[in-house]
């Protein structure tokens, strides 16, 4: 049976959600699709390009329109929507983080954040830094949440699920800092002390 690229990505997403990122291998995927691993290379040159396609699919499925008009409210909507998209799949944050770190794809959230930040008049460099900072907050926080939940479910730690998330509060702190930088007029330069 011949599988199309979309079929392979859809099945890979199922493997990811069932077994996790560590078990999403070309060999497992080929076995599940009842093809030889070499057949997958017709669609993907390597595992990294497969992971990029799966990450883009996670983001595509989780995308939702932004309804806010103010830049800071748009940023909150984008970040919250990204978090929800990542939480929808086992190891979603790890997958997307990996793909972004390798520069293989999953660029839509960053692009959306840069566009949302434009009215803040931060300047190109600072807007890029703000977008990356927001992206890292979402990815890191969500990775921590998913890791804790999976470790608890597997009995690796004694903790149960956390009673509530402090994601919104942390996001608010970062957005407040961006808002302050934009309002003080020091937005056209980066702080070089670090």
């Amino acid at each position: 049976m011949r599988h199309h690229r979309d079929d392979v990505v859809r099945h890979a997403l199922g493997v990811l959600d069932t077994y996790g990122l560590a078990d999403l291998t070309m060999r497992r995927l080929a076995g599940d699709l009842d093809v030889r691993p070499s057949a997958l290379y017709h669609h993907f040159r390597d595992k990294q390009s497969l992971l990029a396609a799966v990450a883009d699919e996670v983001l595509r499925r989780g995308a939702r329109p932004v309804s806010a008009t103010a830049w800071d409210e748009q940023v909150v909507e984008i970040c919250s929507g990204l978090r929800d998209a990542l939480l929808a799949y086992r190891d979603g944050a790890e997958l997307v983080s990996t793909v972004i770190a390798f520069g293989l794809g999953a660029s839509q959230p960053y692009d959306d954040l840069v566009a949302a930040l434009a009215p803040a008049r931060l300047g190109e460099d600072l807007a890029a830094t703000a977008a990356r900072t927001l992206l890292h907050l979402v990815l890191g926080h969500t990775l921590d949440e998913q890791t804790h939940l999976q470790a608890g479910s597997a009995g690796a730690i004694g903790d149960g699920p956390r009673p509530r998330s402090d994601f919104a509060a942390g996001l608010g702190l970062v957005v407040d800092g961006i808002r302050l930088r934009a309002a003080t007029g020091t937005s056209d330069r980066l702080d070089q002390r670090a």
Side-chain angles (χ1 to χ4, degrees), residues 136-183:
H136 293 152
L137 169 70
V138 177
L139 293 169
H141 197 285
T142 309
L143 179 61
D144 175 72
E145 288 181 279
Q146 287 184 316
T147 302
H148 185 271
L149 184 61
Q150 290 171 17
S153 296
I157 59 174
D159 293 351
R162 293 178 179 148
R164 63 180 193 73
S165 173
D166 61 354
F167 173 76
L171 177 58
L173 289 171
V174 174
V175 172
D176 286 349
I178 296 168
R179 195 181 298 115
L180 179 63
R181 180 62 72 96

Side-chain angles (χ1 to χ4, degrees), residues 46-123:
D46 52 29
K47 181 180 176 180
Q48 288 74 24
S49 59
L50 169 68
L51 294 179
V54 175
D56 285 338
E57 181 66 11
V58 166
L59 296 175
R60 187 192 67 75
R61 288 183 180 194
R64 57 186 190 212
V66 175
S67 61
T69 54
W71 71 263
D72 51 349
E73 293 172 2
Q74 288 181 8
V75 164
V76 169
E77 279 191 48
I78 292 166
C79 290
S80 298
L82 174 57
R83 176 176 174 263
D84 291 346
L86 299 175
L87 287 173
Y89 296 95
R90 180 177 180 171
D91 295 336
E94 184 180 0
L95 168 70
V96 172
S97 296
T98 301
V99 169
I100 289 172
F102 288 176
L104 298 173
S107 60
Q108 193 62 53
Y110 172 80
D111 295 342
D112 292 345
L113 286 167
V114 168
L117 288 162
R121 295 192 173 114
L122 296 169

Side-chain angles (χ1 to χ4, degrees), residues 35-49:
V35 298
R36 293 180 184 260
S38 60
L40 299 178
Y41 293 102
H42 174 73
H43 301 293
F44 303 99
R45 70 179 180 276
D46 52 29
K47 181 180 176 180
Q48 288 74 24
S49 59

